[in-house]
Amino acid sequence: MYRSTHNPNYQLLLSVLTSTRKRMGVSQVELAQRLGNTQTFVSKCERGERRIDAVELVEFAEALGVAPLEVLAEYLERRDSNLFAASKKTRSRS
């Protein structure tokens, strides 16, 4: 079993958060200021060194000016896409 921060699905969620931040043109420093925290905190969260909970996920999204459900929808879409691709590979090997 994967450690919680090394779970591929958790890593995917972090990727979605990071790409959302970049798409919105927000630096780690600016996001940290909006969250009332430090750039180191944001960096550790994005790298998976510090696990974020559901409340923090909502705070990150809102600080980026994005609806939390939009972030979750993108995560679920990418996760489902990855699952579909993986199942397709498994079927083609049979």
Side-chain angles (χ1 to χ4, degrees):
M1 182 176 205
Y2 292 101
R3 286 186 46 212
S4 61
T5 59
H6 298 289
N7 180 298
N9 286 329
Y10 185 72
Q11 291 296 313
L12 177 61
L13 177 64
L14 296 180
S15 173
V16 169
L17 275 176
T18 302
S19 64
T20 300
R21 177 182 60 75
K22 290 177 180 178
R23 185 179 76 243
M24 300 304 292
V26 177
S27 69
Q28 286 185 344
V29 171
E30 187 177 353
L31 177 57
Q33 290 170 343
R34 293 178 186 185
L35 292 169
N37 217 311
T38 65
Q39 180 273 330
T40 302
F41 168 79
V42 173
S43 176
K44 286 183 177 185
C45 290
E46 287 186 355
R47 288 193 323 259
E49 291 182 22
R50 186 194 180 285
R51 189 168 177 87
I52 61 172
D53 63 23
V55 172
E56 290 169 326
L57 176 64
V58 169
E59 291 171 349
F60 268 68
E62 291 176 341
L64 292 170
V66 177
L69 290 177
E70 183 181 325
V71 173
L72 285 174
E74 183 179 343
Y75 161 73
L76 291 171
E77 183 179 308
R78 287 176 57 182
R79 185 197 65 172
D80 291 347
S81 173
N82 289 349
L83 290 174
F84 177 74
S87 98
K88 200 172 177 182
K89 283 182 186 177
T90 302
R91 280 187 267 141
S92 67
R93 290 185 207 165
S94 302

